[in-house]
């Protein structure tokens, strides 16, 4: 049963992100009773008062990327996926995620890890992110409105930084990591990337640090033919370091 | 305590992938007692009989990419990460992974999902993959030595195919998916990609299907300067479709 | 002396593309006498009636890309450059350029080759392109308002097609080429590219055909830092074949 | 008539780069009389003494990329093409090319421009390049064995530097350029690229400088299917600046 939680209502080319439980959702094909939605299971169909069918879905992490309240540009899914894969993040891990932002990456990490501590220095951002994370139904994520340097209760299996990064942050992350654990950070500009590479190589050892650029293109296909989109998602450089 | 399981022994620029519990590991800096290793915790140090220190680590999914027994080229981490992120795979999900191969992607998925069914038509490959998966200590993964068309116990939240794919496989995957769930497949060649796009658009609806190419380059940095590697990991095209 | 020809007038962040010889150019910093401009050399400075200095320049091919009259999207400079380099186009060559379009690529080719025949099936396009080409001061370019299949006065050293291409066009181009010469074509869609590759391999031999994709990104640098632009110029696939 | 010059002899999957005029070319399908070759036209067929046909070709610039004597890695055709297109190099131009190297780019530029001065600080390299350039039959190229800073007989329409570059070289190039002309340089490493960008922006003005990265991939097509090659030609960053 969905209960009084966030739900996606989809149908007829429209998608609504609402809270089940009380009130009405007004679509251009009629009203939907949100109390009735709360009684359904994810994937069920509900009819508007005009008898038009809509599907109700418990949101997945990808839905929060589309619908979560934003306080800035969230990490792109491709970049979240790179962090998960290159750190080998799994259900055994305690993860530190600094620079919560809107909390979208945190929601993906929270769905994977045993537990996540996420910190965000801007209090209002932290509060908004906490709303998104609560809407995702995650109970293994702790939101802290503080600077990452104030986090001292390591060790963590993965430390991910998505923030304006300076050498001291890499050093602090290194100190918080369990042996065998991974540090990961995305840096949009080359100058910062160089700084992260140099600091990480000094701390983790040169052979334990790699930096990647990930370029993603959509393949478009229509009656005219198939070709790559000219838009390429470049968001920066991912540096991964393992503490051995 | 590590116990009689797979362990990574690292030190002095070497890395060994062995089984703790009994016998000796012979390094060029002396012998390590593997029974003693089984008593340690991940991250502990052990000395060889020549008193050289090595670190022992419980392997993470990334270690199985490096050390797991292979029956072919496994999926690249960047591609595994794209599948996890674009499907929003999480601890709530029941996942079907067809084309187990060496089981490396399965190990990543098993660390993320509630449970994974993985099937591989070639019996010997399935047996080898099962060894890797057992070595990863995963108890939520079921290996089946069968064709994906023989899997009929849906629904699944995510169906991932990594195999020679034909329209019938996309159709079968569609039938096994829960509403709101995701289909994902990597196709190395454009011809197959076109076939997958066309079949998926017919079944899932055009607006629910996206195909991506992900190009990853390493950034190399040395005394001479910093520049992208000329090697680019292209492995193919990822098609993602959501069942609504 | 510039004479009664096209000229670029630049200064104070503005750039004008006008005809020297008679009349006035009205800038927001005063009037410039175009008869006086015709008496100058490229690179000279002229003052407006308000004594503001502007530079006058005889346009280069790059200026026609910016200012030439367009009948559609012209080829990108990167693609024009690829054609010149992969065919080794030089002052010894007689070039056939089919699909004149706005004539921008023709202007680049005309600046390189001994002579160029360019044909465009749409008469109005051909007339407009001819205007651009005349403005570029090229006397070695012949514009024909006809289909490429109507061009029979080979041989050519380079045949370049920028048009909706079918196997018969590749065959016709092959017949018009001198031994040792090159065929070049850009195809925006993969389906056409496959068709061109297959036809060209059959006619020229597999080892004499190559197809490239060229992705170009600008590097942006500001006070915030340096990073690649997220816009990537993809215009298609360049197929090059040599007749041996 | 080919005369006593370099010639390409092709046939039966082999390609020879020899000098017509005297002696014999020994192929595995028989001997070819090089005096007879000198009497032919480019594209003609000659028979070995075993009556096997070969084609003789006057080499094009692309042939010197394949066969010219090398003193290091020459510029890639894609990069040569980018320089030609972004500078709008044409038969009206006087070009300075510094860092002759093996002279391959010089041969392409010599085929396009009115005249080229090319300088190379290493005397032996300059002599070898001069051999290649003479073999290409170019009479409009002057080879100088000197540092680019010793070139003072401007103005040039295009100055291209392919060498270890420092701010003084950009400054010197700027001083040698005609108004309206272009500066172009390839830098393999990001650090040098930043240095070139900063110096060029100061001298030419920010809006007159652009830096590009060009990534080129071959599309491979076989019975298995079509896909991009995983090898990508990255050679560096092209900076283009116009003097206004």
């Amino acid at each position: 049963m969905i209960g009084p939680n966030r739900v996606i209502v989809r149908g007829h080319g429209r998608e609504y992100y609402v809270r089940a439980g009380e009130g009405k959702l007004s679509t251009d094909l009629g009203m939907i009773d949100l109390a009735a939605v709360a009684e359904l299971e994810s994937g069920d169909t509900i009819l508007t008062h005009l008898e038009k069918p809509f599907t109700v879905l418990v949101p997945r992490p990808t839905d929060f990327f589309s619908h979560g309240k934003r306080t800035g540009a969230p990490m792109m899914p491709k970049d979240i996926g790179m962090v998960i894969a290159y750190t080998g993040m799994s259900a055994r891990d305690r993860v530190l995620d600094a620079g919560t932002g809107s909390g979208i990456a945190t929601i993906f990490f929270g769905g994977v890890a045993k537990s996540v501590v996420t910190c965000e220095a801007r209090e209002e951002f932290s509060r908004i992110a906490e709303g998104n994370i609560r809407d995702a139904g995650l109970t293994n994520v702790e939101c802290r409105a503080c600077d990452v340097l104030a986090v001292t209760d390591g060790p963590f299996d993965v430390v991910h930084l998505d923030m304006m990064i300076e050498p001291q942050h890499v050093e602090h992350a290194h100190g918080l990591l369990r042996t065998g654990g991974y540090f990961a950070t995305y840096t949009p500009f080359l100058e910062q990337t160089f700084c992260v590479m140099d600091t990480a190589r000094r701390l983790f050892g040169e052979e334990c640090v790699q930096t990647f650029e990930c370029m993603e293109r959509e393949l478009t296909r229509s009656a005219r033919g198939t070709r790559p989109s000219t838009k390429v998602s470049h968001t920066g450089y991912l540096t991964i370091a393992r503490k051995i």
Side-chain angles (χ1 to χ4, degrees), chain A residues 225-240:
Chain A
T226 310
R227 65 170 166 185
S229 164
T230 55
K231 273 178 295 179
V232 167
S233 298
H234 173 85
T235 36
Y237 300 91
L238 173 65
T239 299
I240 296 284

Side-chain angles (χ1 to χ4, degrees), chain A residues 174-185:
Chain A
H174 181 261
L176 290 172
L177 271 178
R178 188 189 303 286
T179 301
Y182 282 96
F183 167 75
T185 192

Side-chain angles (χ1 to χ4, degrees), chain A residues 13 18 23 39 41 43 49 53 63 72 81 86 102 105 119-120 147 167 171 179 182 211 215-216 225-226 240:
Chain A
V18 292
E39 307 293 317
E41 299 297 329
H49 81 285
D63 293 308
Y86 275 100
S102 316
C119 59
E120 168 60 57
D147 191 285
E171 287 159 14
T179 301
Y182 282 96
T211 298
M215 290 164 282
E216 180 195 85
T226 310
I240 296 284

Side-chain angles (χ1 to χ4, degrees), chain A residues 34-219:
Chain A
L34 291 170
V37 167
E39 307 293 317
L40 301 176
E41 299 297 329
S42 185
D44 283 355
T45 295
I46 192 162
L47 300 180
T48 66
H49 81 285
L50 300 176
E51 308 248 305
K52 299 296 182 187
F54 280 77
T55 304
V56 299
L57 295 172
V58 168
R60 295 178 62 81
T62 48
D63 293 308
F64 291 95
F65 182 79
S66 304
H67 296 293
K69 191 167 175 186
R70 295 186 175 194
T71 52
M75 273 181 81
M76 302 289 292
K78 76 175 175 71
D79 299 329
I80 296 171
M82 296 279 281
V83 170
I84 293 171
Y86 275 100
T87 64
M89 193 185 292
S90 85
R92 296 176 186 164
D93 291 343
R94 184 174 184 236
V95 172
L96 174 60
D97 169 51
T100 315
S102 316
I104 307 305
T106 318
I107 289 172
F108 279 80
F109 298 155
V112 171
K114 184 162 71 188
S115 68
V116 178
V117 172
T118 185
C119 59
E120 168 60 57
R122 293 157 296 186
E123 249 187 67
E124 199 196 324
F125 283 25
S126 182
R127 201 166 41 243
I128 290 167
E130 197 162 10
N132 286 328
I133 292 162
R134 208 172 34 229
D135 284 347
L138 293 165
T139 57
N140 62 339
V141 176
E142 181 193 345
C143 292
R144 299 185 190 168
C146 69
D147 191 285
V148 67
L149 298 176
V151 176
T152 55
D153 54 335
F156 293 93
D157 297 288
V158 174
V159 175
H160 169 252
L161 304 186
D162 181 19
M163 43 179 285
M164 282 298 290
I165 197 163
E166 289 167 41
Q168 60 176 335
H169 300 118
V170 184
E171 287 159 14
H172 190 69
H174 181 261
L176 290 172
L177 271 178
R178 188 189 303 286
T179 301
Y182 282 96
F183 167 75
T185 192
Y186 248 95
T187 37
F189 291 105
L190 284 159
E191 289 80 359
Q192 282 168 279
T193 305
F194 293 177
C195 165
V196 167
M197 290 174 91
D198 291 342
T199 310
R201 283 165 166 227
R202 177 168 54 77
L203 294 167
F204 292 85
E206 201 166 310
E207 73 290 356
C208 292
V209 179
Q210 281 189 296
T211 298
F212 299 100
E213 181 188 12
C214 175
M215 290 164 282
E216 180 195 85
R217 295 197 298 184
E218 193 169 350
L219 197 65

